[in-house]
Structure formats: C-alpha cells, structure tokens
Amino acid sequence: MFRKISFAAAAAAGLGLLSSPAFAQSVDDTVNQIFASATGWFVSFIFSPFPGTSFPWIVAWLVVAATVFTLYFVFIQFRAFGHAISLVKGDYSDPNDAGEVSHFQALATALSGTVGLGNIAGVAVAVGIGGPGATFWMILAGLMGMASKFTECTLGVKYRNEYEDGTVSGGPMYYLTKGFAERGLPGGKILAVLFSIFCILGALGGGNMFQANQAHQQIAGIVGDYPGWITGLLFAVVVFAVIVGGIQSIAKVTEKVVPFMGVMYVLAALVIILANFDMIGWAFGQIFAGAFTGMGVAGGMVGALIQGFKRAAFSNEAGVGSAAIAHSAVRTKEPITEGFVSLLEPFIDTVVICTMTALVIIISGQLIVDADTGHYIATESGMLQTVDGNTGVSLTSAAFATAFSWFPFVLALAVILFAFSTMISWSYYGLKAWTYLFGEGKSKELAFKVIFCIFVVIGAAANLGPVIDFSDAAIFAMAVVNVLGLYFLMPIVKRELESYLSRLRSGEIRKFAKH
C-alpha cells in the first residue's frame, strides 16, 4: 500500500512538473535553441534580401514568375475569368468524369489553405509598415499570381495518378516527375522528392503548429489564460475526425466553412466601409498616392512595394504548388478547366479579402497622420504609429471595433475557423507528399494523419518561434522547386489551353444539364 501511495504521489508530482509554466517554458527554450542553431542558416537563406535592399529574393522569384506566366498566356486571368465562374457553378461538369470532388469543392479546399491569418494579421502588418500604398502592390501581385495558379493547377490535373478505387493523387511531385520525363528532361524525380520533403515540413509547421498556436492565443485572449495543450487536444480530435475520411470528407467541410467565414468577414468589412461611404474615395486616394510616393513611410515607394508584394506572396501561395495538390482531386477530364477555376483563388484571397482588410484599417483612422505634412508618422522601428500602438491581428481587431465593440469576438471566431480550415487543407497537402515518398496505402496514410494531429497539440502548447520560421521557409522552398519546374513545363499548358479553347469555340465542349 505504501509503495502504491508513494508511486501515485510521485506520478502526480511529475505531472504537476510537466504542466507547470516554468517547465513548459524551459522545454520551449531548449527546443528553440537547438532548432535555431540547426536550421537558422536555411531560414536566413530563403528570406535573405538582395544586397543593399530589404527586398527578399524569394518574393522577387514569385513575382517574376507571375509576370512571366501572365505574359506567356496573354493575360489569361482576365480572358478566362467569366468561363472560370461558369465552371465553378458546374455548368460544364460531367458527373462521369474521374476525380473525387467538384470544381467548387476543390476551389473551397484550396482557398481554405490560403485564406487565413495572412488576410487578417498579415495585411495589418503590410499596411502598418508600408502604409496604404502597400495595398496597391498587393492587389497587383494578386492579379498576376492568378496566372501562376492557372499554370500549376492545370499541370496538377494533367499528371495526377488515378487509382482503381476512384481516389487520385496529384501535385507538383507528380508533374515534376512525369512532365520532365515526357519532355526528356533530367532531374524531375530529384525536384519532386525535394518538393515533397519541403511540403511535409511546411504542412507540420506553418500549416499546422502555427495555426494551432494562433487559435489558442485568440481563445485565451477571450476566456483567460489556460494550458495550450487543452486547445491543441480539442483541435486535434476535430481535425482527425475530418481528415480520416480523406479529401471527400475535407471538401465537404471546407465547402461549408470557407464560404461562411469568407462571407462573414467580408460582410463585416462592407458594413464598416459603407458606414464611412464618404471616405471610400479618400481611402483609394491614399492607396494610389502611397503606392508611388510612400507618403512618409520608411523606405518610401519601395517600402510600400516590398510590403505589398510580400503580403500577396505570403497570402495566396501562388507559385508555391500547394493548391495544385487540392485541385488535382477534381472531377474532370479536361486539365485546363481546373487551371481556370484555380485562377479565381488569388482574386478572392488577395484582391477581395486582403483589400477589404486594408480598407477597414485605413478608413477607421487607425494610422496616425502628421497634421502638418499629411504624411504617416513612422516610429524608430519602421512601423507606422497607430492609435493604441496596435500591430498585426490586434490592429485589424481595433479597426473593426471602431464600428462594432463586439467585433473582436467575431474576429476571434474567424481566426479559429481560418486556423481550422487551414489545418485540414494542409493535412491533405502533407499527406500527398508523404504518400509520394513512402507509397500509397491505408496504414501509411493513417500514420501521417496521427503524426499531424500530434503536432496540432504541440503547436498549441509550445511557443516554438524558430520551428515556425523554419516551416515558413520550407513553404517558400516549395516555391523555388515548383516555379523552376513550371518554366520547363509551361509549353505543355499552352498546348492544353489552345486545344481546349478551339473545342469550346467549335461547340464540342458543351454545358451539361443539371439534375
């Protein structure tokens, strides 16, 4: 009896130690130090700026690619916009086509992976550093990014693997392997393996741990401080319940959650914008003037441009290759149709939702203007002065709270939904990279899903700065590999495009009657 009591007491003491903030902090610090020393060089390399500037080369890499694809496909994002909407509505959907999800479900799944904290916190950071002018460059980069999405998602469907049970696997790892082989180019397999490794790392970090961490902070901000592992465990259970059913289960959730959270957020923004209807013209004036003059922003016009391009690249992931994985699961026999559908994604994510956030921040008067010069006041750190010193998510929250005192609660709900939807989408991206490396099969898939959910708990409980930095770098390393492949494979997309458009004009491709 004595031994039992002493063992129970020791166990209780051990649990108490494990759950104590001091112990958690020391574990965080140890992991951070080990990780930072091992991976710091990689993070520094990916996000390093061009010499003598503050412009990260990785952002230039994505913007140049978007410009090349825009010109190569002759502004396809504008030419195909109307047809893309018809495809999403299901006008051309043949129910007998191979694939697992509809055009709308594929778009919702991919959007749920990109619409998230970048649209709420990221835009506030861009405007807080680059001023209103950053919005102009953000919109421009978003419009050009539509051509990158078009290119990668067309290839995703064209080179996907279709299995006898009706499931499919696709994405950059498949088109890099098959597309390079088809064109007689070497190195496709190496690029595919590299992409898959970066995708798994990005999925576990930026697509998972960071989301769980931010969601916990939002909830704790409302209900008071409590251990993060509780949030992590709740999220892990719900996430596992969704992802265990595969892409069809994920698509069923995202097609409901994404429109709901997107509409809720945009409506709230519209109410504030329309309530200040007389200031809309002034706000756009600030955006255009700031884009070309900087209006006192640190770095001037270049500072605004860098922040705008950076935010668009971070927000819509055009060129990263992640969306091509979600879009590959679509029911279609025409790869180009999913290219058309996917180009709507940067438009919704960056041009609509990010612009809404920026307008609310500008119109609500959160940025302090110098009465004498009419310029924004920059602090020593390079950030612009705000009414209460807010930055990031708290700046967006304060901007919305000027119209609705209760809006921070709605924003917290939006952040939680955004985090949840991002997690389930990235679980699918990571899974497809995992099965590419280790082979298809239920047990292999289950192993990854369990690992993913364990990382949800770790992410919510820990404060792992360098781990998140590394996973962000991994996501952009995906873009290095992916864009390189796209340059070699874009003639194949052009051939698909010309074939499809000629058949559409001749009437061979027709609308299907809806049942």
Side-chain angles (χ1 to χ4, degrees):
M1 184 67 183
F2 171 75
R3 288 178 65 188
K4 281 184 181 174
I5 292 169
S6 60
F7 176 76
L15 281 172
L17 175 66
L18 286 172
S19 60
S20 74
F23 180 80
Q25 187 61 45
S26 68
V27 170
D28 280 3
D29 291 342
T30 307
V31 173
N32 278 336
Q33 283 165 10
I34 294 166
F35 216 83
S37 57
T39 63
W41 65 270
F42 177 70
V43 177
S44 300
F45 166 69
I46 292 291
F47 294 119
S48 61
F50 289 114
T53 73
S54 57
F55 199 94
W57 70 269
I58 190 69
V59 173
W61 176 256
L62 289 166
V63 171
V64 168
T67 309
V68 168
F69 300 136
T70 295
L71 297 174
Y72 186 76
F73 295 110
V74 197
F75 298 94
I76 189 66
Q77 57 266 63
F78 305 114
R79 292 194 291 139
F81 197 86
H83 188 61
I85 291 169
S86 297
L87 288 164
V88 171
K89 283 162 56 188
D91 293 350
Y92 293 86
S93 297
D94 183 345
N96 299 316
D97 284 341
E100 296 185 74
V101 296
S102 69
H103 285 299
F104 178 74
Q105 287 175 322
L107 178 67
T109 302
L111 264 175
S112 72
T114 60
V115 175
L117 295 166
N119 306 72
I120 300 174
V123 174
V125 171
V127 174
I129 299 173
T135 314
F136 174 86
W137 300 110
M138 188 170 66
I139 293 169
L140 182 65
L143 290 170
M144 293 198 305
M146 292 164 75
S148 302
K149 276 275 165 87
F150 162 78
T151 311
E152 61 193 5
C153 293
T154 298
L155 289 166
V157 176
K158 181 168 176 62
Y159 292 108
R160 67 187 178 182
N161 282 0
E162 295 172 10
Y163 303 106
E164 287 178 5
D165 63 356
T167 60
V168 297
S169 286
M173 45 279 188
Y174 293 93
Y175 59 69
L176 289 167
T177 310
K178 295 182 183 177
F180 271 52
E182 190 180 297
R183 296 204 66 201
L185 298 166
K189 183 82 176 171
I190 296 166
L191 289 176
V193 169
L194 270 176
F195 179 89
S196 299
I197 293 166
F198 291 139
C199 184
I200 291 167
L201 293 170
L204 293 175
N208 179 347
M209 294 170 72
F210 174 68
Q211 305 299 325
N213 197 288
Q214 293 297 298
H216 172 67
Q217 285 182 21
Q218 281 294 314
I219 297 168
I222 290 174
V223 303
D225 206 20
Y226 67 97
W229 63 265
I230 297 173
T231 304
L233 208 54
L234 288 171
F235 262 105
V237 169
V238 179
V239 167
F240 187 77
V242 173
I243 68 175
V244 78
I247 184 64
Q248 293 181 343
S249 170
I250 292 170
K252 280 179 186 149
V253 173
T254 56
E255 76 171 342
K256 294 177 181 68
V257 172
V258 172
F260 169 73
M261 68 188 188
V263 168
M264 177 182 78
Y265 189 74
V266 169
L267 279 178
L270 274 174
V271 168
I272 293 178
I273 292 164
L274 294 175
N276 297 281
F277 185 76
D278 55 323
M279 293 177 71
I280 295 174
W282 170 82
F284 276 108
Q286 294 283 296
I287 288 168
F288 285 110
F292 299 103
T293 64
M295 298 179 70
V297 171
M301 171 189 158
V302 176
L305 179 143
I306 290 170
Q307 288 306 319
F309 277 175
K310 199 169 168 182
R311 185 42 44 208
F314 281 37
S315 177
N316 63 44
E317 294 171 20
V320 169
S322 50
I325 302 173
H327 286 282
S328 297
V330 75
R331 272 191 298 274
T332 186
K333 59 178 172 287
E334 298 285 353
I336 210 81
T337 58
E338 204 50 29
F340 290 150
V341 168
S342 69
L343 61 77
L344 296 173
E345 210 180 293
F347 183 80
I348 296 166
D349 177 278
T350 307
V351 180
V352 177
I353 298 179
C354 287
T355 304
M356 288 285 186
T357 305
L359 280 173
V360 169
I361 292 168
I362 297 162
I363 283 174
S364 63
Q366 290 298 302
L367 305 176
I368 296 172
V369 179
D370 186 319
D372 298 327
T373 63
H375 284 176
Y376 293 94
I377 304 168
T379 62
E380 285 179 15
S381 65
M383 296 290 289
L384 298 187
Q385 269 190 27
T386 57
V387 175
D388 293 314
N390 290 312
T391 58
V393 116
S394 56
L395 175 57
T396 307
S397 189
F400 277 99
T402 57
F404 316 104
S405 60
W406 43 264
F407 190 79
F409 295 100
V410 177
L411 194 66
L413 176 63
V415 167
I416 293 161
L417 285 175
F418 283 149
F420 169 65
S421 66
T422 301
M423 277 191 263
I424 59 176
S425 295
W426 272 93
S427 74
Y428 182 69
Y429 302 159
L431 174 67
K432 288 301 166 187
W434 180 271
T435 56
Y436 177 81
L437 291 177
F438 301 111
E440 303 282 340
K442 290 279 181 252
S443 58
K444 289 169 184 169
E445 290 188 12
L446 186 63
F448 176 79
K449 288 169 184 175
V450 170
I451 291 167
F452 189 86
C453 289
I454 290 167
F455 273 85
V456 175
V457 182
I458 296 169
N463 183 23
L464 306 173
V467 178
I468 303 302
D469 291 344
F470 175 73
S471 75
D472 275 353
I475 288 171
F476 283 94
M478 287 162 64
V480 177
V481 178
N482 184 48
V483 167
L484 193 62
L486 295 182
Y487 285 140
F488 287 106
L489 299 176
M490 61 186 187
I492 294 169
V493 179
K494 190 149 207 172
R495 205 164 57 231
E496 289 279 335
L497 176 63
E498 287 165 357
S499 163
Y500 181 85
L501 291 179
S502 69
R503 285 178 291 132
L504 187 65
R505 282 191 289 268
S506 71
E508 186 185 330
I509 291 172
R510 57 188 176 80
K511 292 186 178 184
F512 282 83
K514 291 180 187 173
H515 298 290

